[in-house]
Short mmCIF file of all heavy atoms in Angstrom, two decimals:
data_model
loop_
_atom_site.label_atom_id
_atom_site.label_comp_id
_atom_site.label_asym_id
_atom_site.label_seq_id
_atom_site.Cartn_x
_atom_site.Cartn_y
_atom_site.Cartn_z
N GLN A 191 0.85 -1.19 0.00
CA GLN A 191 0.00 0.00 0.00
C GLN A 191 0.88 1.23 0.00
O GLN A 191 1.79 1.37 0.79
CB GLN A 191 -0.90 0.01 1.23
CG GLN A 191 -1.90 1.14 1.25
CD GLN A 191 -2.82 1.07 2.47
OE1 GLN A 191 -2.70 0.17 3.30
NE2 GLN A 191 -3.73 2.02 2.56
N LEU A 192 0.60 2.14 -0.93
CA LEU A 192 1.38 3.36 -1.05
C LEU A 192 0.91 4.36 0.00
O LEU A 192 -0.28 4.68 0.07
CB LEU A 192 1.22 3.95 -2.44
CG LEU A 192 1.51 3.01 -3.60
CD1 LEU A 192 1.33 3.74 -4.93
CD2 LEU A 192 2.89 2.42 -3.50
N GLN A 193 1.84 4.84 0.80
CA GLN A 193 1.47 5.77 1.85
C GLN A 193 2.50 6.86 2.03
O GLN A 193 3.70 6.64 1.85
CB GLN A 193 1.33 5.04 3.19
CG GLN A 193 -0.02 4.41 3.44
CD GLN A 193 -0.16 3.96 4.89
OE1 GLN A 193 0.76 3.38 5.46
NE2 GLN A 193 -1.31 4.25 5.48
N LEU A 194 2.02 8.03 2.40
CA LEU A 194 2.86 9.13 2.87
C LEU A 194 2.35 9.48 4.26
O LEU A 194 1.15 9.70 4.44
CB LEU A 194 2.77 10.34 1.95
CG LEU A 194 3.30 10.18 0.53
CD1 LEU A 194 2.93 11.40 -0.30
CD2 LEU A 194 4.80 9.97 0.54
N VAL A 195 3.24 9.54 5.22
CA VAL A 195 2.84 9.82 6.60
C VAL A 195 3.64 11.00 7.12
O VAL A 195 4.87 10.92 7.23
CB VAL A 195 3.05 8.59 7.49
CG1 VAL A 195 2.63 8.91 8.92
CG2 VAL A 195 2.25 7.41 6.96
N GLU A 196 2.93 12.07 7.46
CA GLU A 196 3.57 13.26 8.00
C GLU A 196 3.69 13.17 9.52
O GLU A 196 2.88 12.51 10.19
CB GLU A 196 2.78 14.53 7.67
CG GLU A 196 2.56 14.81 6.20
CD GLU A 196 1.21 14.30 5.71
OE1 GLU A 196 0.67 13.37 6.35
OE2 GLU A 196 0.72 14.82 4.71
N SER A 197 4.68 13.86 10.04
CA SER A 197 4.85 13.99 11.49
C SER A 197 5.59 15.29 11.77
O SER A 197 6.13 15.91 10.86
CB SER A 197 5.62 12.79 12.06
OG SER A 197 6.91 12.72 11.49
N GLY A 198 5.58 15.68 13.05
CA GLY A 198 6.35 16.85 13.44
C GLY A 198 5.55 18.10 13.67
O GLY A 198 6.09 19.12 14.08
N GLY A 199 4.26 18.05 13.39
CA GLY A 199 3.43 19.22 13.64
C GLY A 199 3.20 19.43 15.13
O GLY A 199 3.59 18.60 15.96
N GLY A 200 2.58 20.54 15.46
CA GLY A 200 2.29 20.83 16.86
C GLY A 200 2.09 22.31 17.08
O GLY A 200 1.84 23.07 16.16
N LEU A 201 2.25 22.70 18.32
CA LEU A 201 2.08 24.09 18.72
C LEU A 201 3.45 24.76 18.82
O LEU A 201 4.37 24.20 19.44
CB LEU A 201 1.36 24.16 20.07
CG LEU A 201 1.18 25.55 20.68
CD1 LEU A 201 0.27 26.41 19.81
CD2 LEU A 201 0.62 25.43 22.10
N ALA A 202 3.57 25.91 18.21
CA ALA A 202 4.81 26.67 18.29
C ALA A 202 4.49 28.12 18.59
O ALA A 202 3.40 28.62 18.23
CB ALA A 202 5.59 26.58 16.98
N GLN A 203 5.39 28.80 19.25
CA GLN A 203 5.22 30.22 19.52
C GLN A 203 5.65 31.03 18.29
O GLN A 203 6.49 30.57 17.51
CB GLN A 203 6.04 30.64 20.73
CG GLN A 203 5.53 30.05 22.03
CD GLN A 203 6.21 30.67 23.24
OE1 GLN A 203 7.29 31.23 23.14
NE2 GLN A 203 5.56 30.57 24.39
N PRO A 204 5.12 32.21 18.11
CA PRO A 204 5.62 33.07 17.03
C PRO A 204 7.13 33.26 17.15
O PRO A 204 7.65 33.48 18.25
CB PRO A 204 4.87 34.38 17.26
CG PRO A 204 3.60 33.96 17.95
CD PRO A 204 3.99 32.82 18.84
N GLY A 205 7.79 33.12 16.02
CA GLY A 205 9.25 33.18 16.00
C GLY A 205 9.92 31.85 16.22
O GLY A 205 11.14 31.75 16.08
N GLY A 206 9.14 30.84 16.57
CA GLY A 206 9.70 29.53 16.83
C GLY A 206 9.92 28.71 15.56
O GLY A 206 9.72 29.20 14.45
N SER A 207 10.32 27.47 15.77
CA SER A 207 10.65 26.58 14.66
C SER A 207 9.99 25.21 14.84
O SER A 207 9.78 24.76 15.97
CB SER A 207 12.17 26.38 14.57
OG SER A 207 12.83 27.60 14.32
N LEU A 208 9.72 24.60 13.72
CA LEU A 208 9.26 23.21 13.67
C LEU A 208 9.85 22.57 12.42
O LEU A 208 10.07 23.26 11.42
CB LEU A 208 7.74 23.11 13.60
CG LEU A 208 6.91 23.40 14.86
CD1 LEU A 208 5.43 23.41 14.51
CD2 LEU A 208 7.20 22.39 15.94
N THR A 209 10.07 21.27 12.49
CA THR A 209 10.48 20.52 11.30
C THR A 209 9.48 19.41 11.06
O THR A 209 9.25 18.57 11.94
CB THR A 209 11.88 19.93 11.47
OG1 THR A 209 12.83 20.98 11.63
CG2 THR A 209 12.25 19.11 10.22
N LEU A 210 8.86 19.45 9.91
CA LEU A 210 7.92 18.40 9.50
C LEU A 210 8.67 17.33 8.72
O LEU A 210 9.58 17.63 7.96
CB LEU A 210 6.82 18.99 8.64
CG LEU A 210 6.03 20.17 9.21
CD1 LEU A 210 4.92 20.57 8.25
CD2 LEU A 210 5.49 19.85 10.59
N SER A 211 8.24 16.10 8.91
CA SER A 211 8.78 14.97 8.16
C SER A 211 7.66 14.28 7.43
O SER A 211 6.51 14.30 7.88
CB SER A 211 9.47 13.98 9.10
OG SER A 211 10.53 14.57 9.80
N CYS A 212 8.01 13.66 6.33
CA CYS A 212 7.03 12.90 5.54
C CYS A 212 7.72 11.63 5.07
O CYS A 212 8.63 11.69 4.23
CB CYS A 212 6.54 13.72 4.37
SG CYS A 212 5.47 12.81 3.24
N ALA A 213 7.30 10.51 5.61
CA ALA A 213 7.91 9.23 5.28
C ALA A 213 7.03 8.48 4.30
O ALA A 213 5.82 8.36 4.50
CB ALA A 213 8.12 8.41 6.54
N ALA A 214 7.65 7.98 3.24
CA ALA A 214 6.93 7.19 2.24
C ALA A 214 7.09 5.71 2.52
O ALA A 214 8.16 5.26 2.93
CB ALA A 214 7.44 7.51 0.84
#
């Protein structure tokens, strides 16, 4: 089964950083 799964989202403060990942 072909899938893309994202992770890494969430709550961040203005000026902050996040890194999203997407695994196939």
Side-chain angles (χ1 to χ4, degrees):
Q191 185 178 0
L192 307 181
Q193 275 192 316
L194 294 171
V195 179
E196 302 95 337
S197 61
L201 176 65
Q203 292 190 339
S207 298
L208 285 173
T209 298
L210 306 183
S211 300
C212 174

